[in-house]
Structures are given as structure tokens and as C-alpha cells.
Amino acid sequence: MRRQSAFTLIEIIVTILVIGVAASALLSVFSSMVRGSADPVIQQQATTIAEAYLEEIMLRSFDDPQGGETGNDEGEAGRADYDDVKDYRSLAPGPAADQFDNPVAALSAYTVTVTVTNAALGGLPVADSLRVDVNVSHPAIDDILLSSFRTRYP
């Protein structure tokens, strides 16, 4: 008589259990990767928005080109008319918008807040330097904050 070789019932059950445990571990890793895969895209988009706002502000004059800072500059009713850094103090927090303050529908989930304050920088007097903070928030990520200084120079 020849001996037949085959798997026993216990060997089959152990194999199924090992495969099941390995598969569940792989699926949990895969699901966490898929869940977090959009975060870097959202974070990069928020950073790009903050950089665009900061660049727009930094390209403006330190002082009002019309002379004087009364707080209510003539003809500067909105963001499209802002001509100096201090004008951005009146920019209300809101959804991401272009430089003419037109909302961008695809970026409506991002909220932008701009803060302009007098702040000393090195040996410069407080009156000659401004700190600009641009904060971009989105429900899926932590806030992105970019800061820069604008100084009065000859």
C-alpha cells in the first residue's frame, strides 16, 4: 500500500488564519494611506494660496503713494485698489480669492486671514517695519501660516 500525502484539517485552518491576519494588517495600512493621501494635496494648495497672498502684499509700497495714512484711503474701496501694505489691515477673513477679490469657486473650502501689524525687526524702529501674517485654513488640515516683514527703506 502506498501512503497518500495531503493536508490535515488543522494545517488548513492554521494556513487560513495566517493569511487572514496578514491580509487584515495589509488592508489597515492601505486604508490609512488612502485616507491620508488627499492631505498633502490640500496642504500644498493651502501653502500655494498663502504664498500668492503674501507675494501680492509684499509687492505693494510700504507707505501710501497718495501720501499719509489716514486709515481711510481715497479710492481704495476693495482689494483690487490696495496700493500699500497697510491697506491689507482692512481685508476681512474669507474664502480664497484672486487679487481682484473675486472668489475662486474651486478654493471655497479654504479660508484666508491676513494680519498686518507694526513690529520691530532687528534695529529698525517699530514705525519702519510691518509684520504680515497670512493664515490659510481648511477643515482637513492644520492651518498654514506664512509670515514676512516689510520695511521702509530709501
Side-chain angles (χ1 to χ4, degrees), residues 16 21 25 29 36-37 45 56 61 64 77 98 103 111 114 134-135 138-139:
I16 291 173
V21 168
V29 169
S37 67
Q45 185 67 53
E56 174 188 335
S61 300
D64 189 6
D98 65 12
T111 302
V114 175
V134 178
N135 186 42
H138 188 281

Side-chain angles (χ1 to χ4, degrees), residues 54 58 117-122 129-132 147-151:
L54 195 59
M58 291 293 115
T117 56
N118 286 83
L121 176 64
S129 62
L130 297 170
R131 178 182 171 145
V132 179
S147 299
S148 185
F149 281 89
R150 182 72 159 88
T151 59

Side-chain angles (χ1 to χ4, degrees), residues 29 36 47 57 80-81 85 100-101 111 115 117 149:
V29 169
T47 302
I57 296 167
D81 299 322
V85 175
F100 303 108
D101 215 20
T111 302
T115 308
T117 56
F149 281 89

Side-chain angles (χ1 to χ4, degrees), residues 51-142:
E51 288 172 345
Y53 269 76
L54 195 59
E55 181 179 8
E56 174 188 335
I57 296 167
M58 291 293 115
L59 290 173
R60 303 291 187 245
S61 300
F62 183 88
D63 291 314
D64 189 6
Q66 286 106 16
E69 270 304 323
T70 62
N72 295 323
D73 295 328
E74 292 296 319
E76 296 173 7
R79 183 173 162 202
D81 299 322
Y82 290 172
D83 58 2
D84 63 280
V85 175
K86 295 176 190 171
D87 289 340
Y88 286 86
R89 289 179 174 164
S90 61
L91 185 63
D98 65 12
Q99 64 183 356
F100 303 108
D101 215 20
N102 299 316
V104 180
L107 305 176
S108 62
Y110 297 90
T111 302
V112 181
T113 306
V114 175
T115 308
V116 179
T117 56
N118 286 83
L121 176 64
L124 292 174
V126 173
D128 290 339
S129 62
L130 297 170
R131 178 182 171 145
V132 179
D133 295 322
V134 178
N135 186 42
V136 179
S137 59
H138 188 281
I141 61 169
D142 293 333

